[in-house]
Amino acid sequence: GAGVSQTPSNKVTEKGKYVELRCDPISGHTALYWYRQSLGQGPEFLIYFQGTGAADDSGLPNDRFFAVRPEGSVSTLKIQRTERGDSAVYLCASSLIGGSTDTQYFGPGTRLTVL
Amino acid sequence: TQLLEQSPQFLSIQEGENLTVYCNSSSVFSSLQWYRQEPGEGPVLLVTVVTGGEVKKLKRLTFQFGDARKDSSLHITAAQPGDTGLYLCAGDNYGQNFVFGPGTRLSVLP
């Protein structure tokens, strides 16, 4: 079956611009996670959705970052006034019910480069 | 904030050798997961360990969770080039999300 998909696969933007990154989770998965992975590091948690609501957004670094999941399926991560330090691979994962014992399935990521 | 450390950071070995990589923290985790990540892809879950002292085997891979649930190890027997990748451990952060370590980058040479 189809896994988690993310679009675009690569995004190059200029400092100060606005970007949107999209995640299509596995059908039927209620939990959705966004992570950011910088070069040479492990994924860093950003936000966790349970259905349409953000159950935990403690990892969002500042108010330039925002994510939505209006129908409990597709999610969009939005970054305003991008900075060079935002350059990283943004990973999305979904799981059936969420929680620490449920398997997270990751997408291939979106590589964001801010010039 | 719970932090995870992994060692070694890099490991390059010959096909057929055995190896162990480590994941350590000063914090207690209710569960810990190991992932393998290949270039251009997301991490893929290998195993979840929940009980202190637990040992799980997955073919040539053996995972152990420390008795105090603060550390874990991954042992690979007779490594193969297909084992090459970034090995990440991730600890349960109070049941809401996972904290990932920086990873061990393994290269198995034929």
Side-chain angles (χ1 to χ4, degrees):
Chain A
V4 177
S5 62
Q6 294 186 244
T7 54
S9 56
N10 282 282
K11 176 70 177 179
V12 180
T13 191
E14 295 180 343
K15 180 175 177 294
K17 298 290 188 182
Y18 168 83
V19 296
E20 290 189 351
L21 312 180
R22 176 186 168 109
C23 173
D24 280 84
I26 294 173
S27 178
H29 280 194
T30 63
L32 186 146
Y33 304 79
W34 283 99
Y35 294 87
R36 177 170 68 175
Q37 187 172 24
S38 300
L39 193 63
Q41 299 296 316
E44 172 193 10
F45 169 76
L46 296 177
I47 187 169
Y48 158 52
F49 285 92
Q50 184 57 252
T52 61
D56 182 354
D57 64 357
S58 62
L60 294 178
N62 52 59
D63 62 6
R64 296 187 296 106
F65 288 74
F66 189 70
V68 295
R69 196 186 184 199
E71 298 179 357
S73 178
V74 171
S75 177
T76 304
L77 178 65
K78 308 180 181 192
I79 310 175
Q80 298 178 326
R81 304 183 303 280
T82 52
E83 300 178 356
R84 291 192 180 88
D86 299 334
S87 296
V89 175
Y90 288 80
L91 294 166
C92 174
S94 70
S95 67
L96 187 59
I97 58 172
S100 60
T101 58
D102 199 16
T103 300
Q104 292 185 46
Y105 297 88
F106 282 81
T110 293
R111 181 175 298 277
L112 175 66
T113 303
V114 182
L115 301 176
Chain B
T1 302
Q2 297 174 301
L3 296 175
L4 282 166
E5 297 178 345
Q6 292 190 245
S7 60
Q9 185 178 0
F10 298 97
L11 185 58
S12 181
I13 61 171
Q14 293 294 133
E15 181 177 3
E17 293 183 359
N18 302 332
L19 66 114
T20 303
V21 298
Y22 301 92
C23 174
N24 297 286
S25 176
S26 58
S27 302
V28 174
F29 291 97
S30 58
S31 67
L32 194 139
Q33 297 183 332
W34 284 93
Y35 292 81
R36 182 170 70 211
Q37 184 177 23
E38 300 190 27
E41 299 181 7
V44 176
L45 180 67
L46 297 173
V47 77
T48 300
V49 285
V50 178
T51 306
E54 181 177 5
V55 177
K56 280 192 173 179
K57 292 190 175 183
L58 183 65
K59 296 183 181 179
R60 294 177 293 100
L61 278 60
T62 302
F63 304 86
Q64 184 163 5
F65 201 12
D67 291 340
R69 291 186 287 125
K70 292 183 178 181
D71 56 85
S72 182
S73 63
L74 159 59
H75 181 81
I76 301 179
T77 303
Q80 300 177 358
D83 296 328
T84 293
L86 179 67
Y87 287 82
L88 296 158
C89 64
D92 171 27
N93 188 16
Y94 305 111
Q96 287 284 63
N97 58 72
F98 279 86
V99 174
F100 280 82
T104 291
R105 190 166 297 280
L106 172 65
S107 178
V108 181
L109 306 174

